[in-house]
Amino acid sequence: MGIFMRLINYTEDKRLHDYSLVSATLALLFLALFLLLKKEWSIHSSTKFPIVGIESPGYFGLVKAREKYISDAFHIVKNGYHKYRGKNFVVTAHSYDKIILTSDQINELSNAPDDTVSFSHFLAEVMQGPYTGMDRFLGTNYLAEVVRIKLTKSLGTIKEAIIEEVRFSLDTELLGCTTDEWRSVEIFILILRTVARTSGRVFVGLPLCRNEDWLAVSMAFTGDLFMAIEKLERIPKPIRPFYTWIFNSTKLISLHRKKAQTLLGPVIRERLEEERLAKENGSAYKKPSDMLQWLTDLVEPRHKNTKDLSELQLFASVASIHTTSLSFLNVLYDLAAHQECVQPIREEIEAVISANNGIIDRAALHKMTKTDSFFKESTRGQIDVLSFGRKILKNVTLSDGTPLKQGTLVSAPAAMFSSDPDLLEDPETFDGFRWYKKSLEAESRAAHNSNWTTTSAHHLTFGHGKHACPGRFFVTEELKILLTFIILQYDIKYPEGESRPATIKYGEAIYPDTTRKLLFKKLPGPKKFSFL
Ligand code: HEM
Ligand SMILES: *[C@@H]1O[C@H](CO)[C@@H](O)[C@H](O)[C@H]1NC(C)=O
Ligand SMILES: *[C@@H]1O[C@H](CO)[C@@H](O)[C@H](O)[C@H]1NC(C)=O
Ligand SMILES: *[C@@H]1O[C@H](CO)[C@@H](O)[C@H](O)[C@H]1NC(C)=O
Ligand SMILES: *[C@@H]1O[C@H](CO)[C@@H](O)[C@H](O)[C@H]1NC(C)=O
């Protein structure tokens, strides 16, 4: 205001006249530009697809839409999904636009070659790769390969380790829980620590998996990484490098990296040394059976060092610990809310293990079909708004004629599919045995497989196609073991007057409230099986 007053006060009449002429011209120019840009900005310029979430015209409308996307992507995608049914539309965030795909397009892209349609380039871009280091192993598929080839195949042998770790963890975390009294438990912490320990046992082995410092790093890295990403996303692209340099927004994750190297370094060096010695002596080196070893064997020589192998371990934690923990938190929240499902699941698990001579193995776990159905229902629409993110690396034209330009990001509206009454009966109702019933129907018609691990263009909890989550078979077995330990030994319920907490939707993320408590009470009677 002050500067305007001064301008006018110091201006003679004639200059005032000139000044208003200039202002009028400028205003007209702005108006023209505004109208032009409005057109440009509400239609995605390179594809002509509509952008959703824009409520007011012009640049400010665009900025507002992007701001809103950070807090409420769910409703923006939902509106687009219903408004442009079966067609493409675009969502816009501060860092990128994403084209939302139709189910036919998802199927078409699901097995496209990596040099054309890339999952890792997508991750590197949305995870702010240049600043967070999440682009370090671009072009390699180390983790996916190790999980797909080694982890999934080794379940038979690592099962004992998982059982031991779950037992140790629950005995520690639920110490003193009795048959007479309900005990209040910070349930997310319990699950997170148990999952981190179990995953850790499989990833780095004993004794490191029980080291509190390692546990802390493997749990905290993910959270701090996503916090850094969120901060960076809000900063306009051009000034992001300066911002990062001044505020060091990735400081916390750098510290975790250093800590991981300090902890893993001695283990890695010792293993490499033992292997070298054995080779020299001509004796056989008995390799440990864990992810660290599989990665060491798989990576190219230039990555066979502490820095890169620790980094890959941290990536493995990011891919697995929170995803698994939050899924299981949903399962326990739903079980506590649907007590009518508890007994059937308990009976199924008992029957299956009894019939298998009291032994948990892969065959037994596969037969827990009601449990599998409950997992699938509990995670339906509860993971993220979008899934199946890919970056287009070469211009492609889809079979329906849609051109996708090099550099474009695409995604699938996973949460919309899983709540669409056209695709799913009565989607608003939680039905723990929905998929179990479907599988019975399917048996007679030899129809669609309704296992939790089966992906399709509409079942995207684990993505779809060649990059679908390779950890999903491990997760299913790990969580079935964990549930067996809990449900055969404890009753769970909500504290008086509480019920299932509302699902939290923030940006593209969907997750359960992690702050609530559940009550645990030990079941009476002797241990049902010797492994417990
Ligand atoms: C309930 C838990 C989990 C969920 C919901 C989940 C979900 C996903 C999703 C949605 C993707 C992307 C797939 C796509 O876009 O097609 C993915 C990829 C991946 N997940 Fe999982 N995941 C889980 C647990 C795990 C675990 C335990 C591991 C490791 C042991 C793991 C390792 C991976 C890897 C390595 C990839 C990348 C695959 C590739 O690059 O081809 N995940 N996961
Ligand atoms: C940020 O902080 C970490 C940890 O203190 C340090 O290692 C890193 O070099 C810093 N980065 C920049 C850009 O200053
Ligand atoms: C290899 O031989 C050295 C002595 O030459 C010995 O100290 C070491 O224990 C041997 N290592 C193995 C793995 O056999
Ligand atoms: C998937 O379902 C089929 C039958 O519908 C069953 O035979 C198979 O064991 C299941 N697989 C898993 C991994 O649960
Ligand atoms: C991809 O298509 C765009 C136009 O949509 C064009 O400008 C660009 O040159 C193409 N790139 C390649 C590598 O063909």
Side-chain angles (χ1 to χ4, degrees), residues 422-464:
D422 285 355
L423 302 173
L424 184 85
E425 223 171 275
D426 203 3
E428 296 307 317
T429 306
F430 179 92
D431 178 357
F433 301 138
R434 171 195 297 273
W435 307 103
Y436 170 71
K437 289 179 262 178
K438 263 233 148 25
S439 73
L440 293 185
E441 270 171 47
E443 235 162 56
S444 50
R445 293 186 284 110
H448 187 74
N449 188 328
S450 34
N451 294 344
W452 192 31
T453 51
T454 305
T455 70
S456 76
H458 292 141
H459 294 99
L460 293 162
T461 299
F462 294 114
H464 186 47

Side-chain angles (χ1 to χ4, degrees), residues 118-137:
S118 169
F119 176 62
S120 62
H121 281 85
F122 172 86
L123 277 190
E125 181 155 346
V126 299
M127 295 182 106
Q128 307 288 340
Y131 308 105
T132 58
M134 294 309 281
D135 56 359
R136 276 193 200 161
F137 300 95

Side-chain angles (χ1 to χ4, degrees), residues 101-108 110 387-388 412-414 417-418 423 448 454-461 463-465:
L101 301 167
T102 68
S103 32
D104 288 341
Q105 293 169 343
I106 295 164
N107 276 326
E108 187 170 346
S110 66
S387 178
F388 193 76
F417 289 151
S418 58
L423 302 173
H448 187 74
T454 305
T455 70
S456 76
H458 292 141
H459 294 99
L460 293 162
T461 299
H464 186 47

Side-chain angles (χ1 to χ4, degrees), residues 300-313:
E300 292 165 46
R302 71 192 158 106
H303 294 307
K304 226 172 173 166
N305 55 62
T306 299
K307 182 166 171 281
D308 288 351
L309 290 169
S310 327
E311 187 74 14
L312 283 165
Q313 284 295 334

Side-chain angles (χ1 to χ4, degrees), residues 250-308:
T250 52
K251 190 168 190 152
L252 274 177
I253 55 179
S254 314
L255 292 176
H256 292 318
R257 282 197 165 103
K258 274 195 202 123
K259 187 84 198 169
Q261 285 176 32
T262 313
L263 291 166
L264 272 171
V267 181
I268 294 170
R269 276 193 298 275
E270 192 186 327
R271 287 184 182 190
L272 290 176
E273 180 63 12
E274 267 181 38
E275 189 174 5
R276 193 184 60 78
L277 276 180
K279 211 177 204 169
E280 260 179 29
N281 292 13
S283 57
Y285 170 58
K286 192 171 174 304
K287 289 180 177 175
S289 186
D290 57 31
M291 183 112 96
L292 179 58
Q293 187 62 46
W294 303 327
L295 281 169
T296 310
D297 292 344
L298 176 78
V299 298
E300 292 165 46
R302 71 192 158 106
H303 294 307
K304 226 172 173 166
N305 55 62
T306 299
K307 182 166 171 281
D308 288 351

